[in-house]
Amino acid sequence: QGDKVSIRIDVNDDGGYQVSVYNYYRVPQIITAIAIFILLLIVIGGKKGAKSAVGIIFTMVCIIWILLPLTMKGYSALLVTIVLILICNLVTFFLIDGIQIKTVVAAIGSMCGVLAGAGFSVIAQRFMSVTTYQMEEAENLLLIMGTTDLKIKDLFLCGILIACMGAVMDVAMSIASSIAELHIVNPQLTRWELFRSGMNIGKDAMGTMSNTLILAFAGNSLNMMVMIYSYGIGFQQLMNTDFIAIEVIRSIAGSIGIICTVPFVAFIAATVFAKSHSTK
């Protein structure tokens, strides 16, 4: 008594109504949580925090109002996802630091890292015989296909691309900014010296970010892992479940994206900044 709930009302063929309680009404609480996050981002991050908030909102708008509707209309989810993460990648970097060499380098390098992670996931899917049809939501998605033009074949890969992009952007910007600062402090540094410094910086970020990504996937799957463990399933049987294969591909693909982003960004940034000095 006293709880606010969301009600679902269906109209029957005879004009009657079928009413059911859908769930708790959580809209105000969700809006409050988002507002607190954005407020902290702006208060602590200042002007750049505000720009980051705009970038987050832009990304969510692209996913909810572009990716999802186009996917439901039968467009290739993979193609739409690649285009959108490229756009969101560029917009986010340019919002934070404007259009300059280091943001362009970070954007290009992060896309290379994402594509490397995607390439691994494609190969891993083939060798492990894993597709979207083995995911938990596959049955419901197949039902949706019956009433829409949805094509679910590449949805598993699309999810990896989106998650991977979120992980590699941080690493890419850190390395590009560091190399840019090194170049400003000492313009005489050669391409090899800038590249080596970028790799050293990237190695530190590589370990922590990869670990963070794997822990994030493990945290999201904790309830399922507890349930599987409680059934007393043997190690060999556990490792051969679809669930474990899917999570392994997701985790390693994201980590490979981060690892490959480091040399990509370091090489591109070192080449660009060393060349800009030599042409002066």
Side-chain angles (χ1 to χ4, degrees):
Q1 185 176 353
D3 289 336
K4 289 186 176 181
V5 295
S6 177
I7 302 297
R8 179 186 176 98
I9 303 176
D10 295 310
V11 181
N12 300 326
D13 294 335
D14 57 2
Y17 296 98
Q18 183 177 352
V19 182
S20 59
V21 176
Y22 180 69
N23 215 319
Y24 285 101
Y25 182 69
R26 300 187 177 101
V27 173
Q29 293 88 338
I30 291 174
I31 293 176
T32 301
I34 295 173
I36 291 173
F37 165 69
I38 293 176
L39 182 62
L40 285 174
L41 192 61
I42 295 173
V43 170
I44 298 176
K47 188 177 180 180
K48 285 194 175 183
K51 290 180 178 179
S52 298
V54 174
I56 293 171
I57 294 171
F58 177 80
T59 301
M60 294 307 299
V61 167
C62 288
I63 293 174
I64 296 173
W65 279 283
I66 298 179
L67 175 60
L68 297 183
L70 290 180
T71 301
M72 294 297 291
K73 291 179 180 178
Y75 289 87
S76 171
L78 182 58
L79 179 60
V80 175
T81 300
I82 291 174
V83 172
L84 283 184
I85 62 174
L86 174 60
I87 294 173
C88 293
N89 184 25
L90 294 172
V91 170
T92 301
F93 281 134
F94 293 161
L95 278 173
I96 295 174
D97 277 312
I99 301 176
Q100 49 181 311
I101 295 177
K102 68 176 182 180
T103 53
V104 175
V105 168
I108 295 173
S110 60
M111 278 303 300
C112 292
V114 168
L115 293 176
F120 165 81
S121 63
V122 170
I123 296 172
Q125 279 183 263
R126 183 177 295 275
F127 279 96
M128 294 188 192
S129 300
V130 173
T131 66
T132 305
Y133 298 99
Q134 274 114 322
M135 297 178 66
E136 295 178 15
E137 307 84 1
E139 185 176 348
N140 291 330
L141 290 173
L142 288 171
L143 292 175
I144 295 172
M145 286 178 62
T147 56
T148 66
D149 294 324
L150 175 66
K151 300 174 182 176
I152 70 172
K153 179 183 177 182
D154 296 319
L155 288 182
F156 177 59
L157 179 58
C158 293
I160 291 176
L161 284 171
I162 294 172
C164 192
M165 174 56 74
V168 304
M169 287 177 66
D170 182 33
V171 176
M173 195 63 193
S174 298
I175 298 173
S177 295
S178 300
I179 292 179
E181 291 299 319
L182 287 171
H183 176 70
I184 293 173
V185 172
N186 186 2
Q188 304 301 323
L189 290 174
T190 64
R191 179 171 63 180
W192 167 247
E193 290 172 330
L194 289 173
F195 174 75
R196 185 174 59 186
S197 298
M199 287 297 297
N200 290 334
I201 295 167
K203 288 175 183 178
D204 292 332
M206 188 189 303
T208 56
M209 285 299 296
S210 297
N211 195 42
T212 299
L213 191 63
I214 290 176
L215 288 175
F217 282 122
N220 291 333
S221 310
L222 181 60
N223 292 343
M224 180 64 73
M225 289 192 292
V226 169
M227 186 180 70
I228 292 175
Y229 182 80
S230 67
Y231 290 156
I233 296 175
F235 178 78
Q236 184 173 347
Q237 186 179 356
L238 175 64
M239 296 305 293
N240 285 313
T241 59
D242 292 337
F243 169 75
I244 293 297
I246 289 171
E247 293 305 318
V248 166
I249 293 174
R250 282 175 174 168
S251 302
I252 296 181
S255 299
I256 286 177
I258 293 173
I259 294 170
C260 292
T261 298
V262 173
F264 282 138
V265 176
F267 176 77
I268 296 171
T271 301
V272 170
F273 285 111
K275 185 176 181 181
S276 66
H277 172 70
S278 63
T279 55
K280 292 181 180 179

